[in-house]
């Protein structure tokens, strides 16, 4: 979700007057996932039969958990979604006022954000797409990695149903853990790692593992591993490139080579960047890989959306970039959401209904999101199969803390996943 100017007080000491200015409604919601008129409600979620630990394959069954921020499936869920989001100090640190300011901000914003979700179909489609992508991926994965089959899909959202604790309870009910052991893979759906997204989700997973299975759970507990980043995987790059090519094909041939490609990703505060977060470098790596696949057919830039408040954020801003190019006479632009695996409020509302609408040029368009792309789903299966075959608990990058990290929660979470390497029986 795009939490713009009204969040300027995030880094300031709150006064009674500033609290209500800070809590005023804003634009779109920070990185929540997308919506469509056909988005199913909670009762329509895919039901998967339990997979218990008496399966016949040598290492299976294996739980594959798709992790993402999530989004409200209906407008009635917006309030709870915002309450959880503003309670997360990993994402929006409010200091000792978090427990007071968080609910206040959420309540003040709910009405405005509900209208934005109504404008894109009545709710976020991220649950629909996550369940579809994970289910289809597991069908392919059963064939690619038969020794770890059957693979059972789960979805764990940070701020919306199904929450991480709901997912974990389902794992236990389905026969994983509780003295029966079993293998589970936390598969982040943020291709590029950031402490504020994947890091927050993994901290939450570690918290619920500790609460539900114990801090020092024995061999009967679930063994976890993590796919924590995949910014330049060939299948991901191919899926993005094909969507760009499809949108370029809508321009007259004589104008096609002059279309400028604008890759857009959610921005980060420079305080986070300067702490050592790897997200900017990994997003840039994805962009460069896509352009290599396109053989650098067009000029391109990377820009950043959804900045918040007056403090320094990673730029240039997507909205400012589009406006500047149109003013210069460059009116053929393709926006490419490069850091998301499906549509969400930032594509369907911020890009489509704000940035593109305000540009006032029919030549400003957006490439489709990955959504149900067969190329993308195959890539997910390939990534998971390679991970299962590697014996790796997590990447080497995840084991290294950011230079300026002072989070005890982050330290403990990383230590837990590194300890899981012993349970996997491999040293890498």
């Amino acid at each position: 979700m795009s939490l713009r100017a009204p969040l300027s007080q995030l880094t300031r000491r709150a006064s009674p007057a500033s609290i209500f200015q800070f809590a005023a409604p804003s634009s779109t919601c920070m990185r929540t996932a997308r919506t469509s008129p056909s988005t199913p409600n909670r009762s329509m979620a895919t039901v998967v039969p339990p997979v218990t630990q008496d399966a016949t394959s040598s290492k299976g069954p294996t739980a594959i958990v798709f992790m993402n921020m999530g989004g409200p499936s209906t407008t009635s869920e917006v309030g709870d979604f915002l309450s959880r989001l503003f309670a997360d100090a990993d994402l929006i640190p409010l200091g000792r006022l978090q427990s007071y300011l968080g609910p206040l901000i959420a309540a003040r914003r709910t009405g405005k954000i509900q209208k934005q979700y109504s404008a894109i179909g009545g709710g976020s489609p991220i649950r629909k797409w996550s369940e579809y992508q994970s289910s289809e991926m597991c069908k392919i994965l059963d064939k690619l990695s038969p020794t770890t089959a059957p693979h059972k899909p789960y979805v764990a959202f940070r701020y919306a149903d199904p929450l991480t604790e709901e997912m974990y309870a389902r794992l236990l009910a389905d026969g994983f853990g509780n003295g029966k052991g079993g293998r589970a893979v936390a598969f982040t759906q943020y291709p590029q790692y950031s402490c504020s997204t994947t890091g927050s989700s993994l901290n939450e997973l570690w918290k619920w593992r500790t609460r539900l299975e114990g801090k020092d759970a024995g061999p009967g507990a679930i063994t976890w591993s993590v796919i924590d980043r995949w910014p330049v995987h060939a299948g991901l790059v191919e899926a993005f490139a094909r969507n760009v090519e499809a949108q370029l094909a809508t321009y007259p041939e004589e104008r096609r080579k002059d279309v400028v490609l604008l890759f857009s990703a959610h921005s980060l505060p420079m305080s986070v960047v300067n702490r050592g977060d790897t997200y900017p470098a990994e997003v840039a790596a994805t962009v460069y890989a896509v352009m290599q696949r396109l053989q650098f057919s067009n000029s391109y830039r990377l820009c950043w959306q959804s900045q918040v408040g007056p403090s320094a954020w990673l730029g240039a801003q997507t909205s400012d970039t589009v406006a500047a190019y149109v003013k210069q006479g460059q009116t053929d632009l393709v926006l490419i959401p490069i850091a998301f695996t499906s549509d969400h409020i930032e594509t369907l509302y911020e890009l489509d209904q704000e940035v593109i609408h305000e540009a006032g040029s029919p030549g400003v368009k957006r490439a489709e999101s990955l959504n149900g792309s067969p190329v993308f789903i195959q890539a997910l299966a390939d990534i998971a199969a390679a991970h299962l075959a590697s014996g790796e608990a997590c990447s080497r990058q995840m084991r290294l803390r950011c230079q300026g990290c002072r989070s005890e929660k982050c330290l403990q979470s990383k230590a837990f996943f590194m300890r899981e390497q012993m349970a996997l029986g491999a040293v890498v």
Side-chain angles (χ1 to χ4, degrees):
M1 102 180 67
S2 165
L3 303 170
R4 297 199 219 177
L7 286 183
S8 61
Q9 303 301 319
L10 272 174
T11 57
R12 301 178 184 176
R13 179 174 297 176
S15 66
S18 66
I19 287 173
F20 286 96
Q21 178 183 1
F22 174 48
S26 75
S27 181
T28 51
C29 295
M30 183 184 297
R31 192 161 183 159
T32 58
R34 60 192 213 222
T35 76
S36 72
S38 61
T39 300
N41 59 32
R42 186 175 182 179
S43 65
M44 296 175 65
T46 303
V47 178
V48 182
V51 176
T52 57
Q53 292 299 301
D54 57 1
T56 57
S57 65
S58 61
K59 298 181 181 179
T62 306
I64 307 293
V65 181
F66 273 30
M67 307 192 79
N68 210 327
M69 178 175 280
S73 295
T74 66
T75 55
S76 64
E77 298 174 17
V78 170
D80 287 343
F81 170 78
L82 292 177
S83 294
R84 296 182 188 111
L85 186 143
F86 283 104
D88 182 12
D90 288 334
L91 182 67
I92 304 176
L94 301 177
R96 58 189 178 86
L97 293 175
Q98 190 103 30
S99 62
Y100 172 72
L101 281 178
L104 175 64
I105 298 165
R108 296 281 292 181
R109 292 176 182 275
T110 296
K112 181 67 174 289
I113 301 304
Q114 283 177 325
K115 291 179 181 178
Q116 294 174 0
Y117 277 106
S118 294
I120 58 174
S124 171
I126 189 172
R127 181 170 186 169
K128 177 191 75 172
W129 283 117
S130 295
E131 289 177 343
Y132 175 80
Q133 291 167 341
S134 61
S135 177
E136 293 301 303
M137 183 214 71
C138 282
K139 294 176 184 177
I140 301 172
L141 187 57
D142 283 347
K143 299 176 182 178
L144 294 178
S145 181
T147 60
T148 55
H151 302 92
K152 182 173 181 182
Y154 293 83
V155 172
F157 287 153
R158 187 66 181 85
Y159 311 113
D161 294 332
L163 296 165
T164 304
E165 58 264 40
E166 296 174 26
M167 175 279 298
Y168 217 114
R170 278 192 58 206
L171 278 176
L172 297 175
D174 287 351
F176 293 88
N178 281 332
K180 300 177 183 178
R183 174 79 185 275
V185 177
F187 193 166
T188 181
Q189 292 305 292
Y190 306 103
Q192 306 91 2
Y193 184 93
S194 174
C195 297
S196 62
T197 54
T198 298
S200 178
S201 290
L202 292 177
N203 289 344
E204 188 75 357
L205 176 61
W206 166 74
K207 180 182 80 174
W208 285 103
R209 154 61 185 257
T210 301
R211 289 185 180 182
L212 296 178
E213 294 201 85
K215 183 176 182 180
D216 299 313
I222 298 170
T223 299
W224 284 94
S225 63
V226 182
I227 302 172
D228 51 84
R229 70 199 76 206
W230 33 287
V232 293
H233 186 271
L236 174 72
V237 171
E238 181 66 23
F240 275 130
R242 290 193 186 188
N243 285 355
V244 173
E245 289 173 332
Q247 190 60 271
L248 283 172
T250 67
Y251 293 86
E253 187 173 0
E254 65 274 12
R255 289 163 47 194
R256 200 169 298 158
K257 63 180 176 59
D258 296 320
V259 175
V260 172
L261 306 181
L262 296 180
F263 295 88
S264 184
H266 198 290
S267 188
L268 282 180
M270 288 306 298
S271 59
V272 175
V273 176
N274 292 336
R275 191 175 63 206
D277 199 287
T278 61
Y279 175 73
E282 294 187 14
V283 172
T286 307
V287 170
Y288 196 80
V290 172
M291 290 309 304
Q292 282 185 313
R293 159 59 179 79
L294 295 172
Q295 298 183 329
F296 298 96
S297 60
N298 295 72
S299 299
Y300 69 99
R301 288 292 185 272
L302 170 57
C303 45
W304 308 87
Q305 64 185 88
S306 312
Q307 287 82 348
V308 175
S311 61
W313 281 64
L314 195 60
Q317 294 188 29
T318 301
S319 56
D320 292 346
T321 299
V322 171
Y325 279 131
V326 170
K327 186 176 181 180
Q328 294 170 18
Q330 177 62 54
T331 57
D332 288 343
L333 306 166
V334 173
L335 290 164
I336 304 144
I338 197 64
F340 311 111
T341 56
S342 65
D343 274 319
H344 48 87
I345 200 167
E346 286 184 288
T347 58
L348 298 174
Y349 190 86
E350 185 177 354
L351 293 183
D352 291 355
Q353 299 192 33
E354 290 187 332
V355 174
I356 293 177
H357 175 74
E358 292 169 7
S361 170
V364 180
K365 305 178 183 181
R366 177 173 69 85
E368 288 294 320
S369 298
L370 298 176
N371 297 338
S373 162
V375 175
F376 174 62
I377 293 172
Q378 178 67 52
L380 293 173
D382 291 341
I383 292 166
H387 173 77
L388 289 167
S390 73
E392 219 179 32
C394 61
S395 72
R396 291 187 180 276
Q397 275 291 75
M398 183 179 157
R399 303 174 199 181
L400 182 66
R401 298 178 74 190
C402 294
Q403 301 93 305
C405 180
R406 299 292 182 269
S407 170
E408 183 66 22
K409 189 190 308 182
C410 175
L411 176 63
Q412 294 299 324
S413 173
K414 287 180 181 292
F416 164 73
F417 288 110
M418 285 188 284
R419 285 196 302 272
E420 290 295 270
Q421 190 66 66
M422 296 177 63
L424 289 172
V427 178
V428 294

